[in-house]
Amino acid sequence: MKKIIFASTLLSIFTLASCGSEHEEKEEEESYVVSSPVVMDTTIIKDYVCQIHSIQHIELRALERGYLQAVFVDEGQAVKKGQRLFQIMPSIYEAEMQSKQAEADLAEIEYQTTSQLADKNVVSKNEQAMAKAKLAKAKAELKLAQVHLGFTEIKAPFDGIVGKFQDVRLGSLLDEGDLLTTLSDNGKMWVYFNVPEAEYLNYQSVLRKDKMLEVNLLMANNQMFDYIGVVETIESDFNNETGNIAFRATFPNPERLLRHGETGNIQVESTLKNALLIPQKATFEVLEKRYVYVIDKNNVAHAREIEIASEIPDLYVIRKGVKPTDRIMIEGIRKVSDNEKIHYEYVKPEKIFSELNVYVE
């Protein structure tokens, strides 16, 4: 019997030791780190999806009906203002112009003859006026024929890049208005992006001070464009469905790297004075609301809702919810419950932020 009691006693001791060991292990697992928010000047970067357009992007169409006689350029080729691009067979229009030239010459002779006779009172002044009107009509028709002939030769109206050909083949019959290709002037680019109302008001405060709003362009390959753009115009109306308004920035494009129709991201830098910052990892989300644990003087953790003004990599700029003097939980937020008393280690904000590559002065 003594042996049984002894065994039972040992079992109880082992059980208590095991429980104690588990409790100690649990205590060791619970690691609470607490720190404070930081107030400092900081720069935030806002990203906006954008569309890139050439300042001049036009369609080149056939202005006369006829057979395509010659193509002088290729798709994607850079061309100069006045350079020939296409030639529509001009034979009919040349013949028409020659006919109108002959009519104009005849009308000129008739007018000169009638004027001489009118000066000698052989014919009336009305006949002279009619001859003069006939000459003016013939000259107008000749000029129109010259215009039609000129339309058979399609030239570049400005320096640019030729777009994709639209079923352009030598010898194909073109109707008036048929699309041939497009031409883009890529020397400068217009970049459009939409801005929410609140951010628009912030940017307006900058623009009202006669300052330029400079922006950067992050291209589709995640490389930053070499040149800085300037916001030159803002659309007149907000979109009632999205609550956004369109901004247009102008970028120089001397290497012609940007092309019409590209997309990217506009990045706008803003400086915030005395911004209240906390690490993102100190927050948690419940029903689309963001919270932190604030530790009171009795070391009790209280969940408190916060309002985020802006987001920076690894950091939040806080609009309201915490104060600079508050102690907030940085690590262990998944292990603690609301109104739970904890034991924690307080770490200075400078160290916490330095781990995020943010250095507090």
Side-chain angles (χ1 to χ4, degrees), residues 60-62 86 154 164-166 168 174 178-182:
L60 295 177
R61 296 181 178 271
F86 304 97
I154 300 171
K164 180 182 178 182
F165 291 162
Q166 303 295 320
V168 173
L174 301 175
D178 280 356
L179 178 62
L180 301 175
T181 186
T182 58

Side-chain angles (χ1 to χ4, degrees), residues 10-277:
L10 287 177
L11 180 61
S12 299
I13 293 171
F14 283 132
T15 302
L16 290 173
S18 176
C19 291
S21 176
E22 289 178 1
H23 181 71
E24 289 174 1
E25 184 178 349
K26 184 179 178 181
E27 287 292 332
E28 289 177 358
E29 289 177 356
E30 293 176 349
S31 175
Y32 300 118
V33 175
V34 171
S35 188
S36 299
V38 166
V39 177
M40 61 183 292
D41 295 345
T42 188
T43 299
I44 63 171
I45 298 177
K46 291 284 186 178
D47 272 322
Y48 305 96
V49 176
C50 66
Q51 294 183 332
I52 302 170
H53 294 261
S54 300
I55 288 182
Q56 294 189 89
H57 179 78
I58 64 170
E59 294 178 339
L60 295 177
R61 296 181 178 271
L63 297 177
E64 294 293 346
R65 190 174 189 272
Y67 290 98
L68 186 62
Q69 186 180 57
V71 178
F72 301 105
V73 293
D74 198 359
E75 296 174 332
Q77 181 177 333
V79 297
K80 295 293 185 181
K81 180 179 180 180
Q83 182 175 338
R84 287 196 304 170
L85 308 179
F86 304 97
Q87 176 72 60
I88 297 173
M89 189 173 291
S91 303
I92 296 175
Y93 301 100
E94 287 174 346
E96 181 185 4
M97 191 189 72
Q98 290 171 1
S99 173
K100 297 301 181 182
Q101 181 67 62
E103 291 178 7
D105 292 343
L106 179 60
E108 177 72 30
I109 294 171
E110 289 180 356
Y111 173 67
Q112 295 295 337
T113 302
T114 303
S115 296
Q116 291 174 4
L117 293 175
D119 291 341
K120 297 177 181 180
N121 294 321
V122 175
V123 297
S124 66
K125 295 293 184 181
N126 285 339
E127 289 185 36
Q128 182 185 17
M130 289 178 64
K132 183 178 181 180
K134 185 178 179 180
L135 174 60
K137 180 183 178 182
K139 287 182 176 180
E141 290 177 347
L142 173 60
K143 187 173 182 180
L144 182 60
Q146 291 171 337
V147 170
H148 284 298
L149 178 60
F151 283 165
T152 64
E153 190 175 61
I154 300 171
K155 298 180 179 180
F158 50 80
D159 295 353
I161 298 175
V162 178
K164 180 182 178 182
F165 291 162
Q166 303 295 320
D167 296 327
V168 173
R169 299 293 183 271
L170 289 178
S172 57
L173 179 61
L174 301 175
D175 285 324
E176 182 180 342
D178 280 356
L179 178 62
L180 301 175
T181 186
T182 58
L183 185 67
S184 299
D185 178 5
N186 291 355
K188 289 183 180 180
M189 306 299 287
W190 280 342
V191 180
Y192 294 87
F193 59 101
N194 294 319
V195 175
E197 183 176 356
E199 294 168 19
Y200 155 79
L201 294 172
N202 294 335
Y203 296 143
Q204 277 291 77
S205 64
V206 175
L207 296 172
R208 277 198 297 267
K209 297 176 182 178
D210 296 326
K211 294 182 179 179
M212 293 188 299
L213 182 58
E214 294 184 342
V215 297
N216 293 303
L217 174 61
L218 185 66
M219 297 181 291
N221 62 352
N222 287 324
Q223 297 295 315
M224 198 68 70
F225 187 54
D226 290 337
Y227 300 90
I228 294 175
V230 177
V231 174
E232 292 184 337
T233 187
I234 302 173
E235 198 171 285
S236 60
D237 301 324
F238 277 89
N239 185 319
N240 292 330
E241 295 181 358
T242 63
N244 295 336
I245 193 169
F247 280 43
R248 190 190 78 197
T250 302
F251 281 81
N253 189 33
E255 283 84 25
R256 303 298 196 272
L257 177 62
L258 301 180
R259 297 292 181 98
H260 181 84
E262 280 188 84
T263 59
N265 285 75
I266 284 292
Q267 293 188 342
V268 185
E269 290 188 1
S270 300
T271 300
L272 297 179
K273 297 291 186 181
N274 298 321
L276 184 65
L277 306 176

